[in-house]
């Protein structure tokens, strides 16, 4: 299948490496993903400054980038996926998990599921309470709105499927709208009715500061041509003729160069392109902006001599700035899912494009002709966000909170004490979700192979405000080597002194996150899928096959996955709380190095992070501009 897109015609005439090296830059941006490319577009609007992006990937020129239903096809493709894996996870019996991230101009925003959603007011306000003036719901939401151009769903779709339409921006370059394909059409209304009968109401204003409830999420899709709307076609393409903006693709950054003295002054950025090591220089008055992502930015800082001195010494790296928080406080949403067969008479699920060649051809033709059908929309945009009390009985919840409080005592006197105390406080706020359910009419498990003539449905339960904390560090001094990423899924980091932190567990028991995930998944298995009218649609539970208490526990350990929302590894926090950057996003101990990617987020949000990363970047551009 091929599709012609205006994206294929983009010619970034300013990518020439020769011209890139001709002068020093006011801004050198490491990473051309959602945050880096947006910041570059904002800063280069000033014609008196020179801006450069160094991006390891390339412009994506195939269907994976622009056709909504094909977003998952990038996984495992070395041209588009960094192919990160976790370290063996102590609480998952040593499993190593795949951690897909987009390796392309546009970053993960070029290949992800396109959900354009916000968290709750209290979650953003918590960032300010942690010592970051100005970083609150009002500020971040206004910046999200500034880059969003929202198109409501048609009334008939909104009424039938529960689309929300409040709190959006309407004048920005990122187009946002709803699915226009919901087959089998009876599934979502039945799911919503069941959730409401279980006490979870619909939400028609989930982008206005309260994301609780069941609803259809808006996605970053252009409603005029049903293609992905993202930072490349929204911010870079319209500005491709700016003479002061240079984009170097295929440029893998290895480290930052510094002048002698303290605080550290970055003089340039070293990178590898076409197997040749090069340097892009920054003016003495200029700035280096790290936007390499939650996993890569800490690695670059550490390879540059900024990080925990003990760790750096063990890697034979000169510690130029002892900053222990670099690579710490890593957080991610974690989930597990089940798969059901649904009555074929209800209609075909998305999987039919994999099992029925005739259907796939018809749907592709429909997409090319009029932008309708399976390929025109993200396969599954039905979500539920809930507090613990929505699915855990009161007595059980009281016990779980007591257990958590006991665990958190171990953090007293550590850099995590303030952060986790605030997170524990938010847990009691019934307006803030703690768990997400995602329902999609397709198989999303490798354990089930779709069969011709059968229709399927998957429901994922995700812990979205985890208490687990992990770490990310260089695995060696080889800048091309993947970092050692320990998400510490289902564990609790007790803040013990660092040794070789990427090898040391720093964990005790499977406690809070595991118990909550098990409660949420059991709620799906025993309540959601066994309550009419939703239960009337389902026929066979395919996975998990063992639904005993022990069977569910083992299934979770064997099948848990990342929900692709890592953050926190370069946290915007005071140094006393293992912070890496201040509220102006400058790395402590430096004069001119800043971080703008998701790693700056100090406390994980209860929602998908792309819209927030865009909003943070828009705010960052204002804070960093000279």
């Amino acid at each position: 299948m091929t599709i012609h897109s205006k994206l294929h015609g983009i010619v970034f005439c300013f990518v020439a490496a020769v011209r890139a090296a001709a002068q020093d830059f006011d801004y050198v941006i490491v990473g051309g993903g959602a945050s880096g490319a947006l910041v570059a577009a904002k800063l280069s609007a000033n014609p008196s400054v020179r801006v450069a992006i160094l991006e390891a990937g390339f412009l994506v020129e195939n269907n994976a980038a622009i056709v909504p239903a094909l977003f998952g096809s990038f996984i495992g493709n070395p041209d588009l996926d960094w192919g990160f894996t976790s370290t063996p996870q102590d609480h998952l019996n040593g499993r190593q998990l795949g951690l897909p991230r987009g390796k392309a101009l546009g970053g993960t925003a070029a290949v992800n599921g396109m959900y354009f959603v916000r968290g709750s007011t209290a979650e953003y306000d918590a960032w300010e309470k942690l010592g970051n003036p100005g970083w609150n719901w009002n500020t971040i939401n206004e910046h999200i709105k500034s880059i969003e151009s929202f198109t409501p769903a048609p009334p008939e779709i909104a009424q039938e499927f529960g689309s929300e339409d409040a709190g959006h921006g309407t004048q920005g370059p990122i187009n946002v709208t709803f699915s226009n394909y919901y087959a089998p059409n009876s599934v979502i209304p039945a799911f919503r009715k069941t959730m409401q009968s279980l006490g979870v109401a619909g939400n028609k204003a989930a982008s206005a500061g309260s994301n609780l409830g069941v609803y259809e999420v808006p996605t970053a899709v252009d409603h005029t041509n049903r293609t992905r709307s993202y930072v490349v076609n929204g911010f870079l393409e319209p500005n491709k003729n700016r003479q002061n903006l240079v984009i170097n693709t295929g440029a893998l950054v290895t480290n930052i160069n510094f002048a002698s003295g303290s605080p550290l002054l970055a003089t340039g950025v070293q990178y590898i392109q076409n197997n040749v090591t090069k340097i892009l220089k920054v003016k003495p008055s200029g700035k280096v902006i790290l936007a390499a992502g939650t996993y890569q930015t800490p690695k670059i800082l550490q390879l540059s001599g900024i990080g925990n001195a003990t760790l750096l010494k063990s890697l034979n790296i000169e510690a130029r700035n002892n900053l222990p928080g670099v690579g710490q406080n890593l957080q991610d949403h974690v989930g597990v899912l089940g798969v059901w067969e649904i009555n074929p008479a209800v209609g075909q699920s998305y999987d039919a494009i994999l099992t029925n060649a005739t259907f796939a051809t018809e749907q592709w033709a429909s997409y090319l002709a009029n932008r309708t059908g399976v390929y025109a929309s993200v396969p599954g945009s039905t979500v539920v966000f809930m507090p613990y009390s929505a699915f855990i009985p009161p007595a059980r919840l009281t016990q779980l909170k007591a257990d958590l409080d006991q665990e958190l005592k171990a953090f007293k006197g550590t850099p995590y004490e303030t952060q986790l105390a605030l997170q524990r406080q938010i847990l009691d706020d019934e307006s803030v979700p703690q768990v997400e359910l995602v329902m999609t009419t397709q198989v999303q498990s490798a354990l089930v192979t779709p069969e011709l003539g059968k229709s399927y449905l998957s429901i994922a339960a995700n812990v979205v405000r985890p208490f687990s904390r992990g770490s990310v560090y260089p695995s060696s001094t080889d800048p091309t080597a993947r970092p050692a990423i320990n998400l510490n899924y289902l564990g609790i980091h007790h803040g013990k002194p660092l040794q070789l932190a990427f090898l040391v567990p720093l964990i005790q028991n499977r406690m809070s996150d595991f118990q909550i995930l098990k409660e949420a998944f059991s709620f799906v298995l025993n309540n959601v899928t066994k309550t009419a009218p939703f239960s009337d649609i389902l026929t066979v539970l395919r996975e998990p096959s063992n639904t005993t208490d022990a069977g569910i526990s083992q299934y979770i350990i064997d099948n848990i996955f990342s929900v692709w929302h890592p953050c926190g590894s370069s946290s915007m926090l005071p140094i006393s709380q293992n912070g890496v950057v201040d509220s102006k996003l400058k790395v402590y101990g430096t004069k001119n190095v800043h971080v703008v990617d998701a790693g700056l987020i100090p406390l994980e949000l209860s929602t998908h992070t792309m819209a927030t990363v865009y909003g943070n970047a828009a705010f960052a551009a204002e804070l960093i501009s000279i």
Side-chain angles (χ1 to χ4, degrees):
M1 295 176 180
T2 57
I3 179 173
H4 175 73
S5 166
K6 64 180 181 180
L7 289 184
H8 293 187
I10 296 177
V11 178
F12 291 108
C13 59
F14 38 72
V15 301
V18 173
R19 186 158 67 83
Q23 302 178 35
D24 295 352
F25 285 84
D26 297 281
Y27 303 99
V28 175
I29 300 173
V30 179
S35 57
L38 190 153
V39 168
K42 292 280 189 181
L43 295 177
S44 62
N46 178 358
S48 67
V49 301
R50 299 190 75 240
V51 180
I53 294 175
L54 294 172
E55 165 56 45
F58 296 90
L59 177 67
V60 185
E61 294 186 304
N62 61 28
N63 298 334
I66 59 173
V67 179
L70 299 181
F71 77 90
S73 61
F74 86 101
I75 298 174
N77 179 347
D79 293 330
L80 300 176
D81 182 1
W82 277 101
F84 296 126
T85 57
S86 74
T87 59
Q89 295 295 284
D90 285 358
H91 297 291
L92 305 180
N93 293 339
R95 284 181 60 212
Q96 291 182 265
L97 278 67
L99 304 171
R101 305 306 291 166
K103 184 181 180 182
L105 195 61
T108 303
V111 293
N112 66 6
M114 291 159 274
Y115 281 20
F116 197 94
V117 287
R118 296 153 169 85
S120 63
T121 298
E123 296 179 282
Y124 296 98
D125 289 348
W127 298 358
E128 188 166 51
K129 292 178 181 178
L130 288 170
N132 301 299
W135 288 85
N136 52 46
W137 162 259
N138 289 333
T139 300
I140 299 167
N141 186 49
E142 285 305 309
H143 284 87
I144 294 173
K145 290 170 69 175
S146 74
I147 61 98
E148 177 186 20
S149 183
F150 176 71
T151 300
E156 62 275 14
I157 288 181
Q159 169 137 14
E160 183 72 8
F161 301 106
S163 302
E164 52 99 353
D165 58 5
H168 295 276
T170 58
Q171 303 297 318
I174 302 297
N175 292 289
V176 177
T177 192
F178 293 94
S179 176
N180 67 351
Y181 181 85
Y182 288 98
N185 286 349
S186 61
V187 172
I188 294 172
F191 181 74
R192 288 176 56 218
K193 289 176 182 177
T194 286
M195 293 308 308
Q196 289 165 4
S197 73
L198 293 171
V200 180
N203 188 341
K204 293 186 177 181
S207 293
S210 176
N211 60 326
L212 286 172
V214 54
Y215 48 93
E216 293 300 297
V217 298
T219 55
V221 171
D222 188 331
H223 75 284
T224 64
N225 61 14
R226 306 303 302 185
T227 58
R228 179 189 298 270
S229 180
Y230 69 122
V231 69
V232 172
N233 52 24
F235 282 92
L236 293 184
E237 182 189 8
N239 303 306
K240 64 184 179 182
N241 293 321
R242 287 180 180 171
Q243 294 301 302
N244 65 330
L245 176 60
V246 172
I247 300 178
N248 258 335
T249 56
L252 177 68
V253 169
T254 61
N255 63 279
I256 303 168
N257 293 336
F258 293 103
S260 59
S262 179
L264 295 174
L265 175 68
T267 59
V269 176
Q270 189 166 299
Y271 63 102
I272 299 172
Q273 188 178 51
N274 297 324
N275 296 318
V276 177
T277 298
K278 306 176 182 181
I279 296 176
L280 211 58
K281 294 181 179 180
V282 62
K283 295 178 180 178
S285 61
K287 298 177 180 180
V288 171
I289 300 172
L290 290 171
T294 299
Y295 298 143
Q296 298 271 62
T297 285
K299 170 188 163 185
I300 293 169
L301 285 172
Q302 290 158 344
L303 291 177
S304 305
I306 299 176
N308 181 276
T310 301
L311 169 70
L312 297 180
K313 182 179 179 181
S314 73
L315 292 170
N316 295 316
I317 298 172
E318 178 188 359
R320 308 197 64 171
N321 179 9
N322 182 21
L323 194 58
V326 176
Q328 290 287 299
N329 200 37
L330 179 62
Q331 301 157 63
D332 188 20
H333 295 164
V334 64
V336 67
L337 62 83
V339 179
W340 290 257
E341 288 185 25
I342 60 179
N343 188 338
V346 172
Q348 293 187 111
S349 60
Y350 269 91
D351 301 291
I353 63 173
L354 302 176
T355 61
N356 186 329
T358 300
F359 178 74
T361 300
E362 292 172 349
Q363 290 297 308
W364 187 246
S366 176
Y367 180 75
L368 292 178
N370 51 34
R371 295 302 195 258
T372 58
V374 170
Y375 292 98
S377 296
V378 176
S381 54
T382 308
V383 300
V384 182
F385 286 96
M386 305 180 292
Y388 289 164
S389 60
F391 61 95
I392 302 177
R396 172 65 172 153
L397 181 54
T398 297
Q399 183 59 56
L400 287 173
K401 287 183 177 181
D403 292 343
L404 174 62
D405 290 338
Q406 190 64 34
E407 291 179 61
L408 294 181
K409 289 181 180 180
F411 290 91
K412 188 172 180 59
T414 74
Y416 291 96
E417 180 179 6
T418 300
Q419 177 190 140
L420 291 176
L422 180 57
Q423 184 175 344
R424 172 63 180 86
Q425 180 183 334
I426 293 173
L427 190 154
D428 288 328
D429 185 344
E430 294 287 304
S431 71
V432 179
Q434 305 291 334
V435 162
E436 176 193 27
L437 306 182
V438 181
M439 192 274 289
T440 61
T441 52
Q442 64 175 160
V443 171
Q444 288 199 304
S445 169
L447 300 175
V448 178
T449 301
E451 299 176 40
L452 178 64
K454 291 187 176 182
S455 294
Y456 302 88
L457 179 147
S458 300
I459 302 178
N462 305 325
V463 171
V464 292
R465 293 195 58 78
F467 281 87
S468 302
R469 297 293 186 271
S471 59
V472 55
Y473 296 97
S475 56
S476 75
T477 54
D478 178 0
T480 66
R482 298 292 186 260
I485 304 168
N486 179 11
L487 277 303
N488 188 22
Y489 284 138
L490 307 185
I492 290 229
H493 184 310
H494 281 209
K496 296 180 180 178
L498 284 165
Q499 299 174 37
L500 294 181
F502 59 93
L503 298 176
V504 179
L506 302 172
I507 311 165
Q508 289 197 353
N509 312 311
R510 294 187 191 119
M511 293 293 284
S512 298
D513 293 346
F514 173 77
Q515 296 296 342
I516 294 305
L517 186 57
K518 185 176 179 181
E519 292 284 346
F521 193 47
S522 296
F523 176 71
V524 171
L525 294 171
N526 300 323
N527 298 83
V528 176
T529 57
K530 293 183 179 178
T531 301
F534 190 57
S535 59
D536 297 334
I537 287 173
L538 308 177
T539 57
V540 178
L541 172 63
R542 293 292 301 272
E543 289 291 342
S545 57
N546 181 350
T547 56
T548 64
D549 184 75
I552 292 173
S553 293
Q554 191 61 52
Y555 182 82
I556 290 172
I557 299 304
D558 292 343
N559 295 282
I560 204 170
F561 54 81
S562 166
V563 189
W564 302 5
H565 302 142
C567 70
S569 60
S570 307
S571 285
M572 179 178 60
L573 286 169
I575 290 182
S576 62
Q577 296 181 42
N578 263 356
V580 176
V581 300
D582 61 22
S583 61
K584 302 296 185 183
L585 305 182
K586 186 172 69 173
V587 176
Y588 292 114
T590 74
K591 287 184 178 180
N592 61 341
V593 179
H594 293 72
V595 174
V596 299
D597 56 44
L600 71 87
I601 296 174
L603 195 56
E604 182 74 276
L605 297 167
S606 66
T607 193
H608 303 242
T609 51
M610 180 175 69
T612 298
V613 169
Y614 277 136
N616 288 351
F619 187 27
E622 297 174 7
L623 296 173
I624 293 172
S625 61
I626 297 172

